[in-house]
Amino acid sequence: MSRKYRLSTALDVDDLLMECTAYAIRLANEKHKFDPPMTIYEKYSWGKMGTRADSIYPYFSDPEFYRTQPVYEGAKEFVRKLSQMTELYICTAVPPQFMGIRAQRIMEEFPEIPQDHIYMGARKDNIHTDILFDDAMHNILNSGAKYPILMRRPWNQEATGMLAVNNYDEFLKVVEVIAESYSAKSGALAPEDPDIVVLVGPSGSGKSKIATRLLSKTDEFEKLVSYTTKDPTAVEENQWYNYVSLEDFRNMCDSGEMLQSTMYAGHGYGSKRGDVEKILARGKRVLTTMDICGAMSLKTYFKNVTTVYIKRDKKALMASILRKNSSIEDKVNRLTAIDYEQQNANLCDYVIDFNSYDEAAEHLRRILKLP
């Protein structure tokens, strides 16, 4: 692969490479004997919340906490692999009195990161790398990086539209796709006969309508029915979704059943790897609609995947969202996400810009070389 320069990546530390919130919760449970024990899901927003989850904050003023923070399982191997793909930097916010401890831990645990690439400070908007990887939503929203990527955690589940991943493997796949986008024309690296086709695009782009039209004209594909916590009576094109409770959704995520999961406009969405495998075992090809996060997850776990971005005029997107049978908050979240999601076209194998759904479905047929 020929490139003019090597990609650069800035990594956060707390809750990304080293346990921070989860570690503080374990310590708080040991000290206060909470019954039932506090869980990570109780820390669902940034900052103090006026709940028992606030008991974790004293640990952030204890030097011993920073000396003993556990490194996440797989973090060292992740940094090693990433160092072979991009130029690495650390950008970490830590109280000034603990900067020395933090720097020493980074150098000991992650020797692949040059010492002069370690930056201390909260102003991550001043970091202008190609990629920023962070768990704090405000850092992603204000980032100066070309590709800010969010690590999903309970406190950022309301983030909508931005590129987000659930684990290190998904992030590495996104980096691979970004690198390919710098060096290849649209579709140049897409498989000729994909087993899985993912339609990506903002809310209101018509992904489900286009997919439905394609399915009506070919029996090669079978739709992948996903799962959502959103009330099924409020889900347009709800034949593409199975409704589950938030508790069941979390259990499926925690058990590893979910191939990918994301929060969109305050609701959980996800797909099971087993459902994909069942369709393929029946000799069918998979057709699905997802956000960019889900599409990257599929590329992580399956080899023969093509992503198609459904591009639509912003005014048409806004009009479609406003016509939806959903709450004002839901509509606002979807409208706010449009600009973030439009940036994801660069990460897809193909882009379809259309005037009618039938035209888009025909374009998709040509891309897939269907008879």
Side-chain angles (χ1 to χ4, degrees):
M1 178 173 64
S2 75
R3 295 180 42 79
K4 291 183 179 179
Y5 65 94
R6 196 175 185 219
L7 286 172
S8 58
T9 301
L11 298 174
D12 184 32
V13 172
D14 288 322
D15 294 312
L16 190 110
L17 298 179
M18 294 183 184
E19 291 187 37
C20 182
T21 303
Y23 182 41
I25 286 174
R26 289 202 300 276
L27 295 175
N29 279 328
E30 291 172 6
K31 178 178 180 180
H32 299 287
K33 310 298 181 185
F34 288 127
D35 186 20
M38 182 166 41
T39 72
I40 193 74
Y41 290 111
E42 293 180 49
K43 189 70 177 73
Y44 53 81
S45 68
W46 194 257
K48 292 187 177 181
M49 306 186 306
T51 68
R52 66 179 187 171
D54 292 348
S55 61
I56 68 176
Y57 284 94
Y59 296 106
F60 303 152
S61 298
D62 181 357
E64 190 62 20
F65 178 84
Y66 295 96
R67 291 191 186 98
T68 57
Q69 274 183 276
V71 175
Y72 274 114
E73 182 179 355
K76 293 184 179 182
E77 178 65 10
F78 164 68
V79 169
R80 187 191 67 77
K81 289 181 179 178
L82 189 59
S83 69
Q84 297 171 359
M85 302 169 69
T86 77
E87 186 176 14
L88 284 185
Y89 295 82
I90 284 287
C91 185
T92 177
V94 66
Q97 63 270 34
F98 306 132
M99 285 182 175
I101 298 173
R102 171 59 55 82
Q104 188 62 38
R105 288 294 311 280
I106 293 169
M107 289 186 289
E108 290 173 354
E109 305 289 356
F110 307 104
E112 295 87 357
I113 301 173
Q115 295 182 18
D116 60 351
H117 284 199
I118 300 173
Y119 292 85
M120 305 281 182
R123 290 293 306 276
K124 298 187 181 182
D125 54 314
N126 289 329
I127 302 298
H128 296 282
T129 50
D130 293 299
I131 302 166
L132 171 68
F133 193 22
D134 204 299
D135 68 287
M137 191 163 58
H138 62 275
N139 288 332
I140 297 299
L141 291 173
N142 299 322
S143 174
K146 296 175 184 177
Y147 294 99
I149 302 173
L150 184 72
M151 172 65 101
R152 284 290 186 194
R153 299 296 186 204
W155 47 88
N156 61 41
Q157 292 299 300
E158 294 302 310
T160 300
M162 61 189 63
L163 187 55
V165 298
N166 296 292
N167 54 54
Y168 296 141
D169 286 342
E170 289 181 15
F171 179 80
L172 291 172
K173 174 54 68 173
V174 173
V175 172
E176 182 181 320
V177 172
I178 291 172
E180 289 173 353
S181 74
Y182 274 74
S183 61
K185 297 179 181 178
S186 174
L189 299 178
E192 290 188 4
D193 267 326
D195 292 327
I196 302 169
V197 175
V198 191
L199 304 190
V200 177
S203 177
S205 60
K207 301 185 296 293
S208 296
K209 290 183 174 66
I210 295 167
T212 299
R213 280 165 170 76
L214 181 70
L215 288 168
S216 70
K217 296 180 179 180
T218 179
D219 60 359
E220 287 190 31
F221 285 90
E222 184 175 330
K223 69 181 176 185
L224 174 65
V225 179
S226 299
Y227 300 81
T228 181
T229 63
K230 188 174 183 180
D231 183 345
T233 62
V235 179
E236 295 190 24
E237 305 290 345
N238 58 27
Q239 70 270 26
W240 288 83
Y241 296 101
N242 289 317
Y243 171 76
V244 293
S245 68
L246 180 59
E247 181 181 2
D248 287 343
F249 185 83
R250 285 176 173 171
N251 288 338
M252 286 192 290
C253 292
D254 292 343
S255 68
E257 290 181 75
M258 287 294 196
L259 167 72
Q260 60 84 28
S261 62
T262 189
M263 298 297 290
Y264 190 97
H267 302 286
Y269 294 85
S271 303
K272 291 183 179 180
R273 186 186 310 189
D275 291 344
V276 177
E277 292 170 343
K278 286 176 184 177
I279 294 174
L280 296 175
R282 288 194 287 269
K284 296 285 189 177
R285 299 159 77 185
V286 177
L287 181 64
T288 185
T289 64
M290 292 181 176
D291 67 1
I292 192 66
C293 310
M296 292 301 104
S297 295
L298 279 170
K299 278 184 172 282
T300 300
Y301 296 108
F302 294 91
K303 293 182 179 180
N304 207 9
V305 180
T306 288
T307 53
V308 183
Y309 184 85
I310 306 302
K311 184 178 179 182
R312 201 175 180 191
D313 177 76
K314 187 173 182 179
K315 287 184 179 180
L317 291 172
M318 295 173 70
S320 179
I321 291 170
L322 291 173
R323 287 194 297 267
K324 285 182 179 293
N325 177 26
S326 61
S327 67
I328 294 296
E329 181 183 7
D330 180 75
K331 291 176 181 178
V332 169
N333 285 334
R334 291 173 185 270
L335 290 168
T336 303
I338 287 175
D339 289 338
Y340 292 110
E341 294 206 54
Q342 287 182 325
Q343 299 174 19
N344 296 328
N346 293 332
L347 299 179
C348 291
D349 298 312
Y350 299 95
V351 176
I352 292 179
D353 194 352
F354 67 98
N355 295 311
S356 72
Y357 296 124
D358 287 334
E359 175 190 328
E362 184 57 34
H363 190 170
L364 184 56
R365 285 173 60 86
R366 291 197 299 272
I367 288 174
L368 299 175
K369 298 180 177 151
L370 295 174

